[in-house]
Amino acid sequence: MARLHRPRVPLPSGLWLRRCLLRKRALTAALACALYFFFPQVNLSLRSQITPSGVLNGSFLNAGSAVPTHSNVVYVTLKSKRVKPAHIRGTVRPKLRRKVRRTTLPHSGPPDGAEAEPPASSIRIYSRSPPPWLSAHDVGTVRALAGAKVLRVRQPRGAPWPLLVFEGTRPEEADAACGLARGPADSVEVFAFHLDRVLGLNRTLPAVSRKLTFLHNGQPSPVVAWDESLYPGGVSLTWAEYQRSLQQRCWIRNVAPKLESGCSAIHHYEWSKLALFDFLLQIHNRLDPSCCGFRPREQDECHKAGRHFERSQGDDVRLANMVRRRHDPRHLVLTVNKGYFDRNEDNLDFRLLEGIKELPESAVSVLRSGQLREKLLQSLFVDQTYWESRGGRPGIDKIIDVIEQRAQILLTYASAHGVSAVPMSD
């Protein structure tokens, strides 16, 4: 039998298929445009369901809940915009090179029970230059405090904290790299140093956070730079005498005050810088040692027995912890910065601001600029140990929240009491 041959049906070419697809897409786009003009209430929802190729998602066509209950109401769900965090300058870690392992000769160990090996510095400066408010001396000092090898530990006269003597220096030298090892509860010293530099006051000593295996069980603790030239005496003023000296504006334009003026050796502008700094951190042990300006808590030092009588005699209470350098008696050095971040806004110590009529213009400009947070983040990021001990970025942000709130309260107080911002260069 002869085999029957089925006639061949020509298959559609690729060009013909592409044309069909294009026609379908054109019809779909036309349908969308018609819905756009004739049914504006579904405009936003429809546009959000069109794919980049112009085809409607099937889920949108099948969803019965997409139709609004009222003709003039459109339900649109938008994704929340991601809040961009404050930019921290110079925090991009460079590419790490392959480390070469080096063998070291054995040694007999450091004297006086100091640490056996020098730790790597925890100072993070990845950009070509550090933050501009940190001087070259600041950077060199914090690097030494954070990573220099501890040779021995001494107990300096008149200081309750041990003195760390680092390799290659002697404490009696003018630029000696030594540091006072404070306790873990004094970590505010590190924050105080960076806040002081950001505000342009430059009145604190450099401080870093460091872990020492032979102190405080290796907990992160502040190490504050040692300054042999500090002179804690020479300024003895009661609260009443301090208020009178503020009215005299002592040493303005470097004019020597009269003997009967009651002025001390401290320049008038130093009190303004001190008041601003102590208010932001709520440090009361200098201008208000008896806690007359706020309600002390049980854990506060001034809640001890005997201080209640002093509070009733507020005008006769003497200022405390007024430190200067021997070669610079006009300017204060802010040491022992015991601040509080947990004090409520309704219990702030406004006594610290009494009698102050001027504030440093450089510091006020930073508080008003809205850049305080960004600058503090950049500065505090340098100290990796402190940054991590505070819980990283979330913990640091909480502390800065407190400082920003107090800054706004300070600016409001200054505006209400006629306190002006004036240049106060050294």
Side-chain angles (χ1 to χ4, degrees), residues 231-278:
Y231 179 59
V235 180
S236 179
L237 293 173
T238 64
W239 176 259
E241 293 170 344
Y242 162 66
Q243 291 295 315
R244 287 194 294 268
S245 68
L246 292 179
Q247 298 175 2
Q248 296 293 329
R249 297 173 57 85
C250 306
W251 301 101
I252 288 291
R253 299 183 182 87
N254 292 326
V255 177
K258 298 179 180 180
L259 295 177
E260 62 272 14
S261 64
C263 289
S264 66
I266 304 299
H267 194 281
H268 177 70
Y269 287 157
E270 293 298 293
W271 302 117
S272 298
K273 297 177 181 180
L274 171 63
L276 180 143
F277 183 75
D278 281 5

Side-chain angles (χ1 to χ4, degrees), residues 58-169:
S59 60
F60 175 78
L61 296 176
N62 298 329
S65 61
V67 181
T69 57
H70 301 284
S71 60
N72 61 343
V73 179
V74 179
Y75 295 93
V76 181
T77 303
L78 298 177
K79 292 183 178 180
S80 60
K81 185 177 179 182
R82 183 176 181 268
V83 180
K84 185 178 180 181
H87 175 66
I88 305 179
R89 171 179 167 271
T91 59
V92 179
R93 184 185 295 273
K95 294 182 178 179
L96 297 178
R97 297 181 179 178
R98 185 176 181 181
K99 296 182 179 180
V100 179
R101 184 180 298 275
R102 298 179 179 180
T103 58
T104 57
L105 296 176
H107 56 85
S108 59
D112 297 335
E115 54 192 350
E117 294 182 357
S121 176
S122 60
I123 300 303
R124 302 183 291 191
I125 300 179
Y126 301 140
S127 59
R128 294 182 179 179
S129 59
W133 47 86
L134 296 179
S135 66
H137 181 266
D138 289 335
V139 174
T141 303
V142 296
R143 286 190 186 276
L145 295 175
K149 182 178 180 180
V150 179
L151 292 182
R152 59 184 180 274
V153 180
R154 295 178 49 183
Q155 189 66 40
R157 184 172 51 188
W161 307 285
L163 177 66
L164 308 180
V165 181
F166 300 121
E167 186 176 29
T169 61

Side-chain angles (χ1 to χ4, degrees), residues 166-235:
F166 300 121
E167 186 176 29
T169 61
R170 292 182 298 176
E172 58 271 14
E173 295 177 352
D175 297 329
C178 303
L180 287 173
R182 304 286 297 274
D186 300 324
S187 62
V188 70
E189 287 282 1
V190 180
F191 188 92
F193 161 64
H194 289 276
L195 177 64
D196 168 71
R197 295 304 193 265
V198 166
L199 296 178
L201 303 178
N202 300 320
R203 290 296 177 267
T204 63
L205 299 173
V208 301
S209 185
R210 182 169 178 175
K211 297 179 181 179
L212 298 169
T213 57
F214 56 91
L215 285 177
H216 313 301
N217 296 324
Q219 299 181 59
S221 305
V223 179
V224 184
W226 169 261
D227 191 337
E228 181 68 20
S229 66
L230 294 185
Y231 179 59
V235 180

